[in-house]
Amino acid sequence: MYFFCFNHTADIISTVEFNHSGELLATGDKGGRVVIFQQEQENKIQSHSRGEYNVYSTFQSHEPEFDYLKSLEIEEKINKIRWLPQKNAAQFLLSTNDKTIKLWKISERDKRPEGYNLKEEDGRYRDPTTVTTLRVPVFRPMDLMVEASPRRIFANAHTYHINSISINSDYETYLSADDLRINLWHLEITDRSFNIVDIKPANMEELTEVITAAEFHPNSCNTFVYSSSKGTIRLCDMRASALCDRHSKLFEEPEDPSNRSFFSEIISSISDVKFSHSGRYMMTRDYLSVKIWDLNMENRPVETYQVHEYLRSKLCSLYENDCIFDKFECCWNGSDSVVMTGSYNNFFRMFDRNTKRDITLEASRENNKPRTVLKPRKVCASGKRKKDEISVDSLDFNKKILHTAWHPKENIIAVATTNNLYIFQDKVN
Amino acid sequence: MMLSKGLKRKREEEEEEEEEESLAVDTWWLEPSHPAVAQAPLAGASSTLFDLSVLKLHHSLRQSEPDLRHLVLVVNTLRRIQASMAPSAALPSVPSPPTAPSVADSLLASSDAGLSASMASLLEDLSHIEGLSQAPQPQVDEGPPGRPTGGTPPDLGTLDLLGPGTGCLLDDGLEGLFEDIDTSMYDSELWAPTSEDLKHGPEDGPGKEEAPELDETELDYLMDVLVSTQALERPQEPGR
């Protein structure tokens, strides 16, 4: 049972990600900005909810750039943000646009040195001849300042548009994937990367498939997967060879002949792939469904959940208005028992893997006041519409929830509509 | 609101025009008893989908940097539709497309086999454009000292570090770097020293050839373009 607790209006949100503890939530937007929210620390005994999220830091991660050789602009939109696990007082995250990945350090400053000998408090320099005594500067408390500074810039390694970044469990390397290639980086080294997957055909005439997402295994630092526009997932082992063009495993479900149409390939294109926290399963999102795969079984998923099957008869119209190309993400809850993904009309769906129950909820300000419980929604596919149901033809296809995130430990979820970030949490009783 | 607009209208038109086409042609993949057959696209709707896909392809290719995934999916869908249409069917005319004439013409004028070749060559062109190196990125203040942020390493030996089919820049070798630069202006007769037009100068009267004249202002402009990449304005970069 979820209730609404927070809403933040922004530029078009393009990515949402909790950090490893869940205390911080980062969003990236179309304007190249990163906004980080921090959960309030629970010091209220009577609190019946977990801490609320407030804006912690805002910074401009990427700027629009101009590629002179090709005469085109490189968008500053943030495609993905990934947090590094915290090693010291500062936080680190990777953010990427289409071409360049940046490592940002976010640090707090709550003290400042006072009592310099050669400088006034306002920063002006004193005339050394006026100094008659010496004192030792001391640190005094100040209002908390959160500073973000770019520590590394990883550029010029991607000809095509970057769609994924994923940090290795060794916490030293990470991968970045574009439409045709995947590169491996060391976090300390910016002028060099290793190409580990290359599916660009020698002859571009033969191009029929692109890489859509990639992720490192959460525990095996030599294993990663990448998904394709043809609905396949390849698992690769970096120990096998330097260039992982040959997969160790190929996950693909045979096409259902009764559902075949001109749009079969488009709707099979995988828009997101995520390993479970346990590392035993992975989840893929295609246009109409979410599939859970057991890494030990390649020929079919172990679970399939229909997100909005009522759209299957509307594929032609969705092709016409390009909605069929929308890329929805998906996410696991902390215990891997529930998965969540977005849909249209600002709906998002959750599937409980144990009870096999699912629920549709809506993220919208009209329907949500603080602390009110979210009401389950239902779409009426055909026939008579019941009260409170919404018919397929009334769905607003401009209101799409592409990005969702789940707190790694608690039942707190972040859902991004086009311009708004919503945070919902489960009742604590 | 936007769901059943365009296709429905066109289906009605197509149904009138192409009643002779049978349903069976395009629903070979569906069992005749399958309930979806009734809703399956008619042969006429196939050609509508074809038109739509061609339009999408045009639109995609017109982008300065096409979305490769979108492009590949549209092309594959187009090929599927094309394959399902009767082999003898001519390409339907696209209703007044506001596209670059050369792209539209090359696609429309081709035969079935030619269509594949045209699409293939368009993808090929795309690869040449994509294979070019990036503009240099701004330096990081606190990055590793003295290290360029990516870009072409001067020592070719270091390219070996990047695997075959390198994710770095010079995919097609140095020659690939220049392949997309249009050199036709240098090849045209304008530049031939024996050209009558040049000798006569720009002030000649009417009755000259159709071929464009080269006058002083044009020459200046061309020289400016050739020598100055600085002519392109850099967008303002606010300090960090």
Side-chain angles (χ1 to χ4, degrees):
Chain A
M1 190 103 66
Y2 279 86
F3 67 88
F4 166 83
C5 77
F6 178 79
N7 166 256
H8 174 87
T9 305
D11 196 353
I12 295 176
I13 297 171
S14 47
T15 185
V16 181
E17 187 82 356
F18 279 99
N19 76 337
H20 291 252
S21 66
E23 184 204 350
L24 298 176
L25 174 68
T27 60
D29 68 26
K30 194 164 175 254
R33 264 181 314 270
V34 170
V35 180
I36 303 177
F37 302 87
Q38 183 189 42
Q39 191 177 25
E40 264 175 25
Q41 299 315 301
E42 295 165 55
N43 44 21
K44 302 183 284 239
I45 302 157
Q46 49 87 19
S47 167
H48 58 82
S49 71
R50 298 168 187 88
E52 312 223 328
Y53 282 82
N54 302 307
V55 176
Y56 176 70
S57 171
T58 304
F59 58 93
Q60 188 75 31
S61 171
H62 287 70
E63 300 275 3
E65 285 171 56
F66 195 78
D67 182 332
Y68 294 102
L69 212 45
K70 296 192 215 168
S71 263
L72 39 84
E73 222 185 56
I74 300 169
E75 260 194 81
E76 67 275 29
K77 172 168 73 85
I78 308 293
N79 293 337
K80 284 283 166 13
I81 289 174
R82 290 289 182 263
W83 290 92
L84 265 71
Q86 192 172 9
K87 282 194 288 192
N88 52 39
Q91 302 275 358
F92 288 85
L93 60 78
L94 284 176
S95 73
T96 186
N97 68 350
D98 283 339
K99 301 286 185 182
T100 304
I101 307 133
K102 295 188 183 182
L103 176 69
W104 286 90
K105 175 181 178 183
I106 297 109
S107 47
E108 290 184 0
R109 195 196 291 240
D110 61 357
K111 298 183 196 40
R112 67 157 182 248
E114 286 178 17
Y116 283 106
N117 293 291
L118 294 176
K119 253 194 322 187
E120 304 285 2
E121 293 306 328
D122 59 9
R124 278 180 305 147
Y125 281 95
R126 290 168 69 180
D127 179 357
T129 57
T130 65
V131 177
T132 52
T133 60
L134 288 178
R135 55 188 175 164
V136 178
V138 292
F139 276 101
R140 297 216 187 281
M142 60 179 258
D143 287 339
L144 179 66
M145 239 175 64
V146 181
E147 301 170 323
S149 59
R151 306 302 294 188
R152 302 275 186 275
I153 294 186
F154 306 90
N156 296 335
H158 283 281
T159 310
Y160 305 99
H161 292 173
I162 297 174
N163 51 57
S164 313
I165 46 175
S166 176
I167 298 172
N168 202 346
S169 50
D170 65 9
Y171 302 143
E172 287 183 352
T173 57
Y174 74 95
L175 64 77
S176 58
D178 66 28
D179 293 314
L180 297 180
R181 299 193 178 101
I182 302 179
N183 293 331
L184 181 72
W185 302 83
H186 191 286
L187 283 164
E188 299 291 328
I189 299 170
T190 59
D191 65 345
R192 217 177 312 158
S193 72
F194 287 90
N195 176 243
I196 53 176
V197 173
D198 187 340
I199 66 167
K200 183 182 177 189
N203 203 343
M204 278 295 264
E205 296 173 18
E206 294 155 18
L207 181 67
T208 56
E209 193 174 11
V210 298
I211 297 170
T212 52
E215 196 179 49
F216 265 119
H217 190 275
N219 307 320
S220 301
C221 58
N222 50 275
T223 305
F224 66 94
V225 293
Y226 67 94
S227 59
S228 82
S229 54
K230 284 198 168 170
T232 63
I233 309 101
R234 287 170 175 81
L235 184 139
C236 300
D237 187 334
M238 294 196 294
R239 293 169 301 188
S241 71
L243 186 60
C244 300
D245 275 358
R246 289 181 54 212
H247 51 264
S248 300
K249 295 194 182 183
L250 174 68
F251 298 83
E252 187 175 15
E253 185 173 27
E255 199 182 354
D256 176 4
S258 65
N259 269 334
R260 218 189 310 180
S261 75
F262 288 131
F263 309 111
S264 293
E265 183 179 320
I266 300 181
I267 62 169
S268 76
S269 173
I270 292 172
S271 50
D272 195 14
V273 63
K274 291 263 172 48
F275 278 104
S276 64
H277 294 89
S278 65
R280 170 138 181 241
Y281 299 98
M282 67 178 173
M283 163 168 54
T284 57
R285 175 68 155 99
D286 50 70
Y287 190 61
L288 297 179
S289 67
V290 159
K291 294 178 180 173
I292 312 281
W293 303 78
D294 185 321
L295 293 188
N296 298 315
M297 187 158 70
E298 298 167 60
N299 59 354
R300 61 178 173 82
V302 291
E303 295 155 40
T304 301
Y305 301 102
Q306 300 302 332
V307 181
H308 36 220
E309 180 70 9
Y310 45 78
L311 295 183
R312 192 180 287 276
S313 57
K314 311 282 182 186
L315 291 179
C316 209
S317 308
L318 294 164
Y319 178 66
E320 194 179 0
N321 63 20
D322 270 347
C323 281
I324 206 175
F325 298 102
D326 285 337
K327 289 184 287 185
F328 292 94
E329 293 171 8
C330 54
C331 60
W332 299 83
N333 74 339
S335 58
D336 297 337
S337 59
V338 185
V339 297
M340 172 169 63
T341 189
S343 177
Y344 294 105
N345 211 68
N346 281 348
F347 288 167
F348 58 101
R349 304 261 284 137
M350 289 184 191
F351 302 93
D352 189 317
R353 298 176 62 212
N354 299 325
T355 65
K356 299 302 180 200
R357 283 160 65 168
D358 61 82
I359 189 170
T360 305
L361 299 169
E362 181 179 358
S364 90
R365 266 185 295 187
E366 291 84 43
N367 294 331
N368 298 318
K369 307 243 175 356
R371 311 262 162 240
T372 47
V373 176
L374 293 182
K375 203 173 68 167
R377 297 283 183 217
K378 189 128 169 59
V379 177
C380 169
S382 58
K384 271 180 80 88
R385 187 174 72 87
K386 297 200 191 80
K387 182 175 179 289
D388 282 350
E389 281 186 359
I390 298 170
S391 81
V392 184
D393 294 314
S394 326
L395 294 174
D396 188 342
F397 288 84
N398 286 324
K399 292 186 178 169
K400 45 194 100 175
I401 291 181
L402 303 175
H403 312 287
T404 57
W406 208 308
H407 191 290
K409 301 187 171 73
E410 298 170 21
N411 276 340
I412 301 176
I413 56 176
V415 170
T417 60
T418 310
N419 288 96
N420 284 277
L421 175 74
Y422 291 83
I423 299 181
F424 301 106
Q425 35 181 327
D426 201 359
K427 267 189 179 178
V428 182
N429 273 329
Chain B
M1 50 172 190
M2 58 186 86
L3 271 186
S4 44
K5 239 183 11 181
L7 184 62
K8 230 175 179 172
R9 271 205 308 277
K10 289 199 172 172
R11 272 180 78 162
E12 285 159 24
E13 287 168 17
E14 295 288 356
E15 278 173 51
E16 288 164 18
E17 290 173 85
E18 300 174 17
E19 283 170 37
E20 68 279 7
E21 300 202 33
S22 68
L23 193 65
V25 172
D26 293 302
T27 55
W28 57 271
W29 60 86
L30 293 169
E31 291 296 313
S33 57
H34 195 282
V37 165
Q39 301 155 32
L42 302 171
S46 292
S47 77
T48 307
L49 268 175
F50 184 90
D51 294 350
L52 179 60
S53 301
V54 168
L55 274 174
K56 282 190 183 299
L57 184 59
H58 287 184
H59 180 77
S60 198
L61 290 167
R62 256 183 300 150
Q63 309 299 312
S64 47
E65 220 181 352
D67 177 349
L68 211 55
R69 171 184 167 261
H70 187 271
L71 189 62
V72 159
L73 288 173
V74 169
V75 166
N76 289 351
T77 306
L78 197 48
R79 284 184 178 138
R80 268 194 198 214
I81 297 168
Q82 196 194 351
S84 77
M85 286 163 76
S88 57
L91 287 182
S93 60
V94 178
S96 53
T99 59
S102 56
V103 170
D105 289 346
S106 70
L107 284 175
L108 291 174
S110 317
S111 62
D112 282 350
L115 179 66
S116 298
S118 299
M119 284 195 281
S121 70
L122 284 163
L123 282 173
E124 184 65 43
D125 288 344
L126 202 67
S127 79
H128 288 308
I129 295 166
E130 291 286 3
L132 296 174
S133 57
Q134 313 293 316
Q137 306 296 322
Q139 293 275 354
V140 187
D141 285 345
E142 307 198 34
R147 213 84 70 92
T149 52
T152 316
D155 171 21
L156 279 182
T158 60
L159 278 176
D160 293 337
L161 273 176
L162 309 163
T166 167
C168 203
L169 312 162
L170 300 176
D171 286 345
D172 310 304
L174 284 170
E175 304 86 272
L177 200 60
F178 303 106
E179 256 169 340
D180 83 321
I181 295 178
D182 177 19
T183 57
S184 60
M185 68 174 73
Y186 310 117
D187 302 332
S188 78
E189 65 228 7
L190 274 173
W191 294 87
T194 55
S195 164
E196 295 281 355
D197 300 338
L198 269 180
K199 282 192 187 149
H200 288 183
E203 281 83 32
D204 268 351
K208 292 190 74 68
E209 281 185 35
E210 187 70 26
E213 290 187 51
L214 185 72
D215 64 14
E216 249 176 278
T217 51
E218 280 179 337
L219 186 57
D220 284 346
Y221 172 72
L222 283 170
M223 288 308 293
D224 283 345
V225 169
L226 278 175
V227 304
S228 59
T229 48
Q230 292 93 318
L232 292 167
E233 235 177 284
R234 251 208 135 91
Q236 276 290 67
E237 284 177 27
R240 289 237 168 82

